[in-house]
Amino acid sequence: NAGVTQTPKFQVLKTGQSMTLQCAQDMNHEYMSWYRQDPGMGLRLIHYSVGAGITDQGEVPNGYNVSRSTTEDFPLRLLSAAPSQTSVYFCASRGLATGEEQFFGPGTRLTVL
Amino acid sequence: AQSVTQPDIHITVSEGASLELRCNYSYGATPYLFWYVQSPGQGLQLLLKYFSGDTLVQGIKGFEAEFKRSQSSFNLRKPSVHWSDAAEYFCAVGAGQAGTALIFGKGTTLSVSS
């Protein structure tokens, strides 16, 4: 099992550009989520999904879109990148059982100029 | 809405001394609670979790945490700190349906002095 994979590892964008951060898991997990990590702010929840076709907003959803067409994939889209979206982005997944551990991807470091 | 507060931004402990990192949560029902550790440039590693049962939870690397509902706290402890414990520690509470995702505190950076 590869676990949770994220691509790309690093990305530099210009203000106004769009891009998609990819996240995939091969553990057949129903629950997936996206976080951003900024110094002094911890990790903040952007969007999450309880299964294919079902998504919901987290703490900081503005500027980001998600969709969940398959169990395996949960891409995060930046429609018009802003410097405030410079961050490290983590994707995570977990199974259905109560109290199951979240498995985190290695992260994507995004810089918006 | 759920929230997590870690009151201490930075703590310095001498090697061999005991450690307690504080965590307070806000949640209406019985929470799912977690402690993670992150070394510089690394990903997140789960130290321990609580979702029911015994309120004293044992984790990896000699860490433990105690859930106190009356104080809305889930403090992390270790009896003797090693230099390799220097890292950033995050407390988190399960959010969304059945704890689908996590709400994190802002973290506490632990430095270990010799």
Side-chain angles (χ1 to χ4, degrees):
Chain A
N1 283 357
V4 179
T5 58
Q6 292 183 237
T7 56
K9 285 186 169 50
F10 301 94
Q11 183 70 48
V12 179
L13 290 178
K14 294 181 179 178
T15 297
Q17 287 184 315
S18 63
M19 80 159 296
T20 299
L21 305 185
Q22 301 291 345
C23 174
Q25 51 91 10
D26 61 358
M27 297 172 282
N28 204 31
H29 285 168
E30 290 296 322
Y31 299 159
M32 296 187 74
S33 47
W34 275 102
Y35 305 84
R36 60 176 289 174
Q37 183 175 23
D38 304 291
M41 298 300 293
L43 285 86
R44 291 179 289 173
L45 177 64
I46 304 172
H47 285 285
Y48 63 98
S49 170
V50 299
I54 308 170
T55 64
D56 207 346
Q57 297 181 349
E59 302 171 276
V60 288
N62 293 342
Y64 306 95
N65 278 0
V66 292
S67 60
R68 184 99 179 268
S69 56
T70 67
T71 300
E72 295 78 19
D73 300 298
F74 191 42
L76 179 72
R77 282 183 288 277
L78 285 70
L79 299 179
S80 179
S84 60
Q85 294 178 303
T86 293
S87 188
V88 180
Y89 292 84
F90 288 99
C91 178
S93 74
R94 57 155 282 200
L96 289 173
T98 299
E100 273 209 25
E101 177 183 352
Q102 296 271 355
F103 289 83
F104 284 86
T108 294
R109 185 174 293 274
L110 176 67
T111 301
V112 183
L113 302 175
Chain B
Q2 301 95 327
S3 66
V4 176
T5 301
Q6 294 181 245
D8 304 304
I9 296 173
H10 188 201
I11 285 182
T12 299
V13 174
S14 298
E15 191 169 15
S18 63
L19 170 69
E20 183 169 29
L21 301 182
R22 297 183 291 164
C23 172
N24 294 99
Y25 68 89
S26 171
Y27 190 73
T30 299
Y32 302 138
L33 294 163
F34 306 82
W35 274 101
Y36 285 84
V37 62
Q38 186 181 38
S39 298
Q42 301 298 310
L44 291 157
Q45 181 178 28
L46 178 66
L47 287 175
L48 47 78
K49 61 184 179 182
Y50 170 81
F51 57 93
S52 68
D54 194 347
T55 57
L56 184 62
V57 179
Q58 302 297 321
I60 63 172
K61 303 185 179 186
F63 285 93
E64 67 177 26
E66 187 170 13
F67 170 58
K68 294 185 177 180
R69 184 188 300 276
S70 62
Q71 298 176 20
S72 297
S73 70
F74 189 56
N75 293 349
L76 182 72
R77 301 192 293 248
K78 186 170 185 178
S80 178
V81 167
H82 188 261
W83 64 266
S84 61
D85 293 323
E88 192 160 19
Y89 292 79
F90 295 99
C91 181
V93 64
Q97 175 185 330
T100 312
L102 297 172
I103 300 295
F104 284 86
K106 293 184 178 181
T108 298
T109 299
L110 172 66
S111 297
V112 180
S113 62
S114 56

